[in-house]
Amino acid sequence: MSATTHTDRLCLSCLDDLPRELFIGGKWSPANDHRQLASLRPSTGDTLATVAHADATDVARAVAAAGAAGRPGSRWHRMSPAARSRLLHRVGDLILAHADRLALLDCLDNGKPLRVARAGDVPAAAAVFHYMAGWPGRLNGENVSIFTGNPERHLAMTVPEPVGVVAAIIPWNFPLYMAAAKVAPALAAGCTVVLKPAEQTPLSALLLAQLAQEAGLPPGVLNVVTGDAATGAALAAQPGVDKVTFTGSTEVGRSIVRAAAVDFRRVTLELGGKSPNIVFGDADLPQAMDGAAHAIFYNQGETCVAGSRLYVQRQVFDEVVAGIRERAAAIRVGDGLDRDTDMGPLISAEHRARVMSYLHSARAGGAQVTGGHAPDSPGFFCTPAVVTGADPQAPVVREEIFGPVLVAQPFDTAEEAVALANDSPYGLAAGVFTRDLGLAQQVGRRLRAGTVWVNSWHVLDPALPFGGMRGSGWGREMGRAGVDAFLETKTLVNDLGTRPWGTASAPR
Ligand code: NAP
Ligand code: MG
């Protein structure tokens, strides 16, 4: 599809007046050396827009602005919890008010279907702000009885304090939602933020910054630096950053930890996954087939929690796999602007080549692969693939592909299914399909995963802690745990100078 049809022109008008510069200290400014970065439109391969390309000097400027905005005595520091809460609500409201434009931006920039962005990503981003708006007034410390001291003399308490300047580095798969998931809890905790969107999808973060400003966020509380991997690396290593919150690949997560080790800055990591989905023979099979297809193919398979490893009890294996193959073949792959599209293109030509290489090596290793074709047309499209008969040690089974590739394997007993599911360096999400809810509990408790879904998948909510075990990361986002991740606990002990009762002199 070329970028010149009438619908395209209408849709591309969402770019009109969109800020393309760096948002630092409440002002838009070009990059230090005026460099630009192109973001592509994955459904055509054309350049969609160019934005400023921040270097280390720009990053330092943004971190300094964030530091100044959160300093004791600053407007943000003095702001009442009620006012902070109102601000977060206003940002959520503005996201909903601009939902069509935000959805279009993510559709064009990332490739995902417009109706998915409009019904999923955008309301989810608003919900995070609305949910987090409930926290500022509830972040109370405790009055602590000193175990070994005199309770009348010592008044001891814990005081939750914002961790400080937060560097938020996000990937391209849910551009607006990821930005919201980092920014809203950090602001709820009273932190200030420098946000670095992925180079493939910088646009909705720029509009979010504009909306936050319109909501009344004081200058410097949220800063956005667009750029590439070097920009992210500069931000993760910049002195003045107190905490790095990162979502992305395990490899980059490792380099963030190395950078953080220099001064022990706080780190939260949401990394990759290779999430197992277990279907027992007694499951509602059409529901399990729908669930398994949704688990892997939603968002082009470009989700960290994609249910990419399917384990099916042997007696229903052929039936379930056939049902999923049918569902995969019915998925309409196309331009995200097209109302009929179920699945958009992958994010880039390089990423598609990587996905195809897994399928190529699976075929070469004797596995049966259906789907997984790259149409000979512009854009980075790839049809959904289902793989059976792969060597359990093959890369297609063990490694995160981050694309629409499902690998299915049979099992006989629940014990075997759990052992297969847990045999992975990752531990992000897992699923169980069965009518036996007692069995689901037993299996769910044994799975090494941060989230376990029973007879469902992709049910995420701002109130539910989200994160991974093992190689899938450190810490949790969302829920109370997600706010705590942006707080330090201070212990404050007051010696009141009280003498034992009866020895005190009467007040004069
Ligand atoms: P990525 O390469 O790790 O990039 C993520 C972000 O880090 C981008 O903003 C990237 O900038 C930046 N970055 C790259 N190199 C950096 C460095 N050395 N130091 C600091 N920042 C750096 O990941 P991706 O390919 O965009 O995203 C896919 C990965 O994200 C998958 O592995 C997936 O599982 C994971 N993911 C995890 C979750 C979760 O919640 N657990 C959610 C979504 C995705 P540029 O884009 O400009 O290079
Ligand atoms: Mg793009």
Side-chain angles (χ1 to χ4, degrees), residues 37 169-174 178 182 196-201 227-236 246-253 255-256 269-273 302-305 351 400 402 426 428 466-468 472 477:
L37 187 74
I169 303 175
I170 57 172
W172 41 259
N173 55 344
F174 295 96
M178 287 286 167
K182 302 290 188 205
K196 207 302 267 175
E199 64 187 287
Q200 296 92 339
T201 55
D228 62 3
T231 313
L235 179 56
F246 170 78
T247 296
S249 60
T250 302
E251 182 123 339
V252 175
S255 74
I256 301 247
L269 301 171
E270 302 291 352
L271 307 175
E302 295 170 328
T303 75
C304 50
V305 293
H351 184 49
E400 182 181 50
F402 221 60
Y426 294 111
L428 191 56
F466 175 78
S472 290
E477 293 187 315

Side-chain angles (χ1 to χ4, degrees), residues 32-401:
N32 163 51
D33 55 8
H34 292 269
R35 265 195 313 162
Q36 300 270 311
L37 187 74
S39 183
L40 303 187
R41 179 177 168 190
S43 59
T44 61
D46 299 332
T47 293
L48 178 65
T50 55
V51 297
H53 186 162
D55 67 8
T57 313
D58 299 307
V59 165
R61 202 156 59 84
V63 171
R71 199 168 285 147
S74 66
R75 209 179 124 207
W76 182 239
H77 184 255
R78 287 183 288 109
M79 191 177 280
S80 69
R84 209 169 343 129
S85 178
R86 273 198 303 276
L87 258 172
L88 287 164
H89 272 304
R90 273 208 291 275
V91 178
D93 291 346
L94 283 168
I95 289 174
L96 293 180
H98 293 259
D100 289 337
R101 188 174 179 204
L102 284 162
L104 257 178
L105 285 175
D106 273 1
C107 163
L108 291 166
D109 211 6
N110 163 281
K112 65 178 64 203
L114 179 58
R115 74 187 150 80
V116 172
R118 184 65 183 79
D121 300 45
V122 176
V128 175
F129 276 95
H130 286 137
Y131 169 82
M132 290 297 167
W135 278 111
R138 292 186 172 83
L139 302 177
N140 301 311
E142 285 182 317
N143 188 356
V144 181
S145 302
I146 290 194
F147 183 57
T148 55
N150 175 350
E152 290 195 347
R153 178 168 167 176
H154 294 115
L155 177 63
M157 61 189 73
T158 59
V159 184
E161 293 187 345
V163 72
V165 174
V166 171
I169 303 175
I170 57 172
W172 41 259
N173 55 344
F174 295 96
L176 176 70
Y177 173 76
M178 287 286 167
K182 302 290 188 205
V183 171
L187 299 186
C191 292
T192 58
V193 180
V194 179
L195 172 68
K196 207 302 267 175
E199 64 187 287
Q200 296 92 339
T201 55
L203 301 181
S204 55
L206 295 170
L207 184 50
L208 178 66
Q210 197 175 44
L211 297 179
Q213 188 174 36
E214 189 181 329
L217 207 66
V221 173
L222 171 63
N223 307 274
V224 180
V225 288
T226 45
D228 62 3
T231 313
L235 179 56
Q238 179 64 34
V241 168
D242 298 294
K243 160 141 195 162
V244 182
T245 176
F246 170 78
T247 296
S249 60
T250 302
E251 182 123 339
V252 175
R254 222 170 260 131
S255 74
I256 301 247
V257 170
R258 277 196 292 270
V262 172
D263 56 4
F264 300 104
R265 60 190 54 184
R266 282 27 182 166
V267 176
T268 295
L269 301 171
E270 302 291 352
L271 307 175
K274 187 78 180 177
S275 297
N277 186 10
I278 301 172
V279 176
F280 284 97
D282 74 329
D284 174 334
L285 294 187
Q287 182 197 29
M289 294 172 205
D290 287 343
H294 180 55
I296 180 63
F297 299 132
Y298 178 66
N299 209 52
Q300 299 74 239
E302 295 170 328
T303 75
C304 50
V305 293
S308 47
R309 289 185 291 144
L310 178 69
Y311 299 106
V312 186
Q313 210 158 18
R314 197 173 301 276
Q315 66 268 29
V316 294
F317 181 80
D318 290 343
E319 184 182 349
V320 169
V321 169
I324 295 171
R325 285 198 155 121
E326 242 171 62
R327 285 160 174 78
I331 288 173
R332 293 160 301 190
V333 177
D335 190 317
L337 289 179
D338 191 333
R339 230 180 281 203
D340 293 332
T341 292
D342 300 311
M343 185 185 279
L346 298 182
I347 191 69
S348 64
E350 300 73 35
H351 184 49
R352 181 175 64 173
R354 196 174 154 269
V355 171
M356 301 308 285
S357 78
Y358 278 104
L359 295 174
H360 181 74
S361 76
R363 282 191 192 96
Q368 292 79 55
V369 180
T370 52
H373 304 295
D376 184 20
S377 58
F380 314 131
F381 297 97
C382 168
T383 62
V386 178
V387 181
T388 52
D391 175 345
Q393 296 308 317
V396 76
V397 180
R398 309 235 15 121
E399 296 175 14
E400 182 181 50
I401 299 176

Side-chain angles (χ1 to χ4, degrees), residues 10 14 37 54 69 79 105 120 164 273 289 316 331 379 387 389 433 447 463 476 480 490 494:
L10 268 181
C14 73
L37 187 74
M79 191 177 280
L105 285 175
M289 294 172 205
V316 294
I331 288 173
V387 181
F433 283 82
L447 289 170
R476 293 293 178 271
R480 169 77 207 220
K490 176 174 284 175
N494 301 273

